[in-house]
Amino acid sequence: IILELYFVGENMSKFAERLSELMSESQLNQKMLAEKIEISETSLSHYLQDKHAPTVESLIKIADFFRCSTDYLLGREEDNGELNFKSCPPFSKQIDFLKDYYKVKPYQIYNGTDISKSCYYDWKSGKRQPSLDNIIRLADIFGCRIDFVLGRES
């Protein structure tokens, strides 16, 4: 299975572990959290059992609810300081911001990440949103936090 190849293994296990810890600390069960963040209980159950990676939208909802970084949830950071994040801009605008901020050409983004050219231009036009896998690739190629790629932080 090629789907979510970049996210499997330790990343997914760490996400499930962190989510479970945060739920326990907040004394929330799956049903309660699912209702509060408006995702299906089945999806939440799959995340907790390492069966599926979260969508970018679900990841942001979970991070916003627990006031933590997406990087912390995914096991890319060890500290979970309570932070305030801004709402994510449309990714069609964010990809332009990233391109300008890092002073790169579009081809440098899609050639350096295994992201297809058509996928990149679909993001730019707003036709589709990036997968979590691609968000992680972008954070890795730019050497930045996932929250920065998403536009949650300045």
Side-chain angles (χ1 to χ4, degrees):
I1 296 175
I2 297 173
L3 187 66
E4 299 170 346
L5 251 186
Y6 204 73
F7 186 73
V8 295
E10 191 175 321
N11 287 325
M12 207 158 126
S13 296
K14 194 56 142 175
F15 173 74
E17 180 184 317
R18 293 263 166 98
L19 179 55
S20 181
E21 287 170 5
L22 289 168
M23 288 173 61
S24 179
E25 289 169 9
S26 300
Q27 299 179 335
L28 294 169
N29 63 31
Q30 288 179 34
K31 182 176 182 168
M32 293 163 64
L33 180 59
E35 287 174 1
K36 288 181 182 290
I37 62 174
E38 299 177 344
I39 65 172
S40 77
E41 191 176 346
T42 301
S43 291
L44 189 55
S45 175
H46 286 165
Y47 304 157
L48 289 164
Q49 296 173 28
D50 290 345
K51 289 184 178 180
H52 296 288
T55 62
V56 172
E57 181 182 9
S58 293
L59 178 68
I60 292 167
K61 285 180 177 184
I62 293 165
D64 285 347
F65 181 81
F66 289 112
R67 295 183 48 136
C68 67
S69 73
T70 56
D71 297 271
Y72 174 78
L73 280 173
L74 297 173
R76 294 168 63 99
E77 295 178 342
E78 290 305 314
D79 293 331
N80 181 24
E82 287 197 14
L83 306 167
N84 291 314
F85 293 98
K86 58 186 183 177
S87 296
C88 297
F91 200 74
S92 57
K93 292 184 192 262
Q94 186 63 14
I95 194 68
D96 277 338
F97 167 79
L98 292 167
K99 182 179 64 67
D100 294 343
Y101 184 87
Y102 288 105
K103 297 175 177 43
V104 295
K105 303 284 184 209
Y107 75 88
Q108 292 173 298
I109 294 173
Y110 51 77
N111 284 347
T113 57
D114 287 333
I115 294 169
S116 72
K117 182 178 182 178
S118 63
C119 188
Y120 172 85
Y121 284 103
D122 282 351
W123 297 342
K124 260 187 79 55
S125 68
K127 287 183 186 173
R128 79 191 238 206
Q129 297 299 306
S131 66
L132 178 56
D133 197 44
N134 285 333
I135 293 292
I136 293 170
R137 282 187 174 106
L138 290 170
D140 287 348
I141 196 166
F142 292 133
C144 67
R145 299 173 80 229
I146 291 170
D147 289 305
F148 188 77
V149 171
L150 294 171
R152 291 182 78 220
E153 67 180 29
S154 308

